[in-house]
Amino acid sequence: MQDGPRAPDPSPAAAPRPREDARARTPVDGDERYRQLFESNPLPMWIYDLETLRFLDVNEVACARYGWSRDEFLAMSILDIRPPEDAPAVQDSVRDTPASVFSSGVWRHRLKNGEIILVEIRSHEMTFMGRHGRFVCPIDVTQRMNDAARLARHAEELEERVRQRTAELLVSNRELAQATAQAQQASIAKSRFLSTVSHELRTPLNAILGFAQLLTLNRDQALAASQQASYGQHIVDAGKHLLDLINELLDLAAIEAGKTALAIEALELGAVLGDCVALIRPIAEPRGIALRTFDDRTVRVMSDRTRLKQVLINLLSNAVKYSPEDAVVDVACQHLGDNVRLSVIDHGAGMTPQQVDALYQPFNRLGREAGATQGSGIGLVVSKGLVELMGGRIGVDSVPGVGSTFWIELPASAERPAAVPVLDAAAPAASTGPGAAAPDVTVLCVDDDLLSLRLLENVLAMRPGVQVLTASNGRIGVELARRHLPTVIVMDNNMPEMTGREARELLRADPSTAAIPIIALSANVTGTPGAVAGVEGVFRAIPKPFEVGPVLEAIEDAVKAARRRPG
């Protein structure tokens, strides 16, 4: 029950508050038994006058809890133990609380030291010493209310944490769903990629095997020279296409694995472009396609020469392949701040925005798979990776029915073009060519593959004055080298019993064979020949499958190097 005082109604016309009859009040005047119960109760108790709100009686427990003496209590009203801001509510409670109400909820009380406590009021109207009063028992519930508030705060914090965790879980679930979808897409893409790779590899292999079988099908009836040449050319073309595809796959794998080696240097863009145009022109001329390029030899970019040529050849060959006959392919150059942009412009069919979006997907030829133009759809993917590795960008602007402009941007070089050196007229040429005479030359060929040895023998047969020795593994090759001391050694890297590296180490450790130039042949050769030669300690490194011309040229250079050595 509220213990707030009941303020007198100032209005003379106010109706008197209805009261219970005398039987509802407890007469305790002069009752000694009441005094004993009042003082011996362990809970605070007091009685106050309902008219004046002043204390009429208070027990010692209340005095001890609140800090005021009994005399101080009796000099105060119940408003004095309440915070001042609560006084209006106390008066309203006294006026409005029915006489029969025993509990009036929780109120704030003020102790003598200023501390505010929370109490739950138990009260009842009674007659005390002839006065109409109210008996009050305040029960301190501060700790309980604080505990409840603390529990409520904890519940709110827990609920907030649950909301946060739920939100985080939703985010995690979305991320997991996205990751799962990406993994599924990657798996599908991988399966599609492997299926396409298998198809792309089988196509040239089918041509190679087919025409090779035609060459050997009827041994009793010789083929005409024109047929042999035609079949052989088909085999060469299919083999080159297969080699290009394998090289592109290796480049793509190296780029994705972050294992692409670059040698960034200042390059004269016009000179590099000129080399690429010279390689593409034989493809363009039969179809009447003209290549128009800029003639500024002062433009220099920071790039890797080999990789830049690879990118430019890809862009130029694509422009030629997808241009109509008698068209023009333009190559333009412009400075853009610290970069140089080179653009290859064709006047072909162009591409839709959807085709441009799918441009850099491996094996995606944008619906041109059924056409007569050969390709794998990997070249642009590799070119994009190489350009970005060189610190540049690649892009395309295309309009269907008008044509496409593929462009690359590379960092410009601040270096000025170097002066062109003047060559000594008496200096010997770098190579006398594959047909140069070199009597008394011995070439040791070491390879575990019999067909490779036969191929090398036939290649060397094109050079007069060569004695060819063959060995089927590294151990035999070392023995033959020590016995015959050949002029040049052509050696495979991967062989049973003794690898090419192990054989070279033995030959280099032997004074009699240490100076013999060694040309390494390997299907695992990557990077530029010079870089490989420096690592492997060989005179020249040539990747398999090899072309005949470079092998003969390497042998010529090795023979010259062997003849120049002292002794």
Side-chain angles (χ1 to χ4, degrees):
M1 190 72 186
Q2 299 281 25
D3 63 322
R6 178 183 179 187
D9 191 343
S11 173
R17 180 182 175 184
R19 300 293 182 186
E20 295 180 336
D21 57 25
R23 287 175 297 178
R25 301 186 181 92
T26 306
V28 295
D29 298 29
D31 189 341
E32 185 63 25
R33 185 180 178 190
Y34 149 75
R35 173 58 55 188
Q36 291 176 354
L37 292 174
F38 192 69
E39 291 297 342
S40 63
N41 198 296
L43 297 175
M45 292 182 180
W46 60 64
I47 301 172
Y48 68 89
D49 190 317
L50 279 173
E51 298 298 332
T52 64
L53 303 183
R54 299 181 68 85
F55 288 100
L56 300 177
D57 199 1
V58 60
N59 67 357
E60 291 299 327
V61 177
C63 295
R65 180 68 183 96
Y66 283 76
W68 286 289
S69 65
R70 186 170 186 278
D71 292 338
E72 289 174 324
F73 257 113
L74 296 180
M76 298 188 302
S77 74
I78 60 172
L79 297 179
D80 295 325
I81 65 168
R82 307 298 294 270
E85 60 271 22
D86 292 357
V90 173
Q91 295 180 356
D92 291 341
S93 175
V94 171
R95 182 179 65 250
D96 298 335
T97 300
S100 60
V101 174
F102 184 72
S103 174
S104 59
V106 177
W107 290 83
R108 299 195 306 165
H109 278 187
R110 179 178 63 87
L111 306 184
K112 185 176 182 178
N113 61 9
E115 179 185 353
I116 302 299
I117 62 173
L118 299 175
V119 296
E120 197 174 67
I121 299 299
R122 301 289 189 267
S123 68
H124 197 75
E125 289 188 17
M126 62 180 298
T127 299
F128 181 78
M129 299 177 61
R131 309 288 295 273
H132 182 204
R134 186 180 293 278
F135 167 81
V136 176
C137 177
I139 301 173
D140 190 343
V141 294
T142 304
Q143 185 64 43
R144 190 182 76 189
M145 297 301 291
N146 289 342
D147 291 343
R150 192 159 43 248
L151 288 174
R153 287 195 302 272
H154 288 169
E156 291 177 359
E157 292 173 359
L158 180 60
E159 186 176 352
E160 179 62 26
R161 284 199 295 269
V162 169
R163 282 195 296 267
Q164 292 177 356
R165 295 295 184 270
T166 302
E168 292 172 0
L169 183 59
L170 291 175
V171 172
S172 298
N173 287 341
R174 283 196 296 268
E175 293 176 349
L176 180 59
Q178 292 174 355
T180 302
Q182 290 173 356
Q184 292 174 345
Q185 293 174 357
S187 178
I188 294 172
K190 179 181 178 182
S191 299
R192 187 182 298 118
F193 180 83
L194 292 175
S195 175
T196 308
V197 167
S198 174
H199 175 268
E200 292 292 334
L201 291 175
R202 288 173 182 271
T203 301
L205 278 174
N206 180 66
I208 293 172
L209 295 174
F211 284 107
Q213 290 176 71
L214 288 178
L215 287 172
T216 61
L217 186 62
N218 192 345
R219 300 180 184 273
D220 298 330
Q221 182 179 358
L223 293 172
S226 59
Q227 285 181 304
Q228 292 184 28
S230 176
Y231 294 167
Q233 188 59 49
H234 289 321
I235 292 173
V236 170
D237 292 342
K240 286 184 176 179
H241 175 58
L242 180 61
L243 179 59
D244 290 341
L245 176 60
I246 292 173
N247 286 336
E248 287 177 341
L249 287 171
L250 292 176
D251 285 337
L252 183 60
I255 290 171
E256 292 181 346
K259 295 182 179 180
T260 303
L262 297 176
I264 303 298
E265 58 180 327
L267 299 176
E268 184 182 312
L269 184 58
V272 177
L273 178 62
D275 293 341
C276 298
V277 170
L279 293 172
I280 297 299
R281 188 165 278 121
I283 304 174
E285 287 178 347
R287 300 181 58 220
I289 297 175
L291 296 171
R292 298 189 303 200
T293 65
F294 63 93
D295 191 25
D296 187 353
R297 293 301 176 112
T298 64
V299 180
R300 296 171 71 81
V301 295
M302 298 302 297
S303 182
D304 178 284
R305 181 181 297 274
T306 302
R307 297 307 188 178
L308 178 57
K309 290 179 68 174
Q310 182 177 349
V311 172
L312 293 180
I313 288 173
N314 177 262
L315 296 181
L316 289 169
S317 63
N318 283 348
V320 169
K321 285 191 297 185
Y322 295 110
S323 290
E325 292 187 357
D326 303 320
V328 176
V329 173
D330 292 300
V331 183
C333 178
Q334 65 182 128
H335 284 273
L336 297 175
D338 295 332
N339 295 326
V340 173
R341 173 177 284 197
L342 184 142
S343 302
V344 178
I345 307 163
D346 67 54
H347 302 283
M351 294 178 290
T352 65
Q354 292 76 16
Q355 288 176 316
V356 171
D357 291 340
L359 195 60
Y360 301 107
Q361 296 175 3
F363 295 107
N364 190 339
R365 297 191 59 206
L366 309 180
R368 296 172 182 169
E369 297 84 353
T373 303
Q374 199 174 52
S376 64
I378 303 179
L380 272 177
V381 183
V382 173
S383 296
K384 181 176 185 295
L386 292 176
V387 170
E388 291 175 350
L389 284 176
M390 293 186 290
R393 297 192 308 143
I394 188 171
V396 61
D397 302 312
S398 188
V399 178
V402 176
S404 302
T405 298
F406 282 87
W407 52 263
I408 61 172
E409 287 182 11
L410 293 170
S413 171
E415 298 182 14
R416 294 183 178 179
V420 178
V422 179
L423 298 178
D424 185 356
S431 174
T432 58
D440 302 323
V441 171
T442 302
V443 178
L444 171 60
C445 300
V446 186
D447 200 316
D448 64 303
D449 183 67
L450 183 59
L451 287 177
S452 295
L453 284 177
R454 295 292 175 266
L455 179 59
L456 284 171
E457 287 178 336
N458 284 275
V459 168
L460 291 171
M462 301 173 64
R463 187 192 189 283
V466 177
Q467 178 188 6
V468 180
L469 302 175
T470 60
S472 59
N473 61 54
R475 180 182 54 79
I476 297 176
V478 171
E479 293 176 359
L480 290 178
R482 288 170 175 170
R483 185 184 310 162
H484 296 278
L485 299 179
T487 313
V488 178
I489 299 174
V490 181
M491 180 179 291
D492 184 46
N493 260 358
N494 299 318
M495 295 181 291
E497 293 191 42
M498 182 181 293
T499 66
R501 182 187 297 274
E502 293 169 342
R504 289 194 300 273
E505 290 176 353
L506 292 176
L507 294 173
R508 292 289 175 254
D510 188 335
S512 64
T513 58
I516 300 176
I518 300 176
I519 298 173
L521 299 177
S522 176
N524 294 328
V525 169
T526 57
T528 61
V532 175
V535 174
E536 299 287 346
V538 298
F539 178 79
R540 192 75 55 83
I542 298 178
K544 284 184 176 182
F546 56 79
E547 295 185 11
V548 174
V551 171
L552 287 174
E553 184 178 350
I555 292 174
E556 286 296 328
D557 293 342
V559 169
K560 292 175 183 177
R563 287 174 174 170
R564 287 196 298 266
R565 68 176 181 259

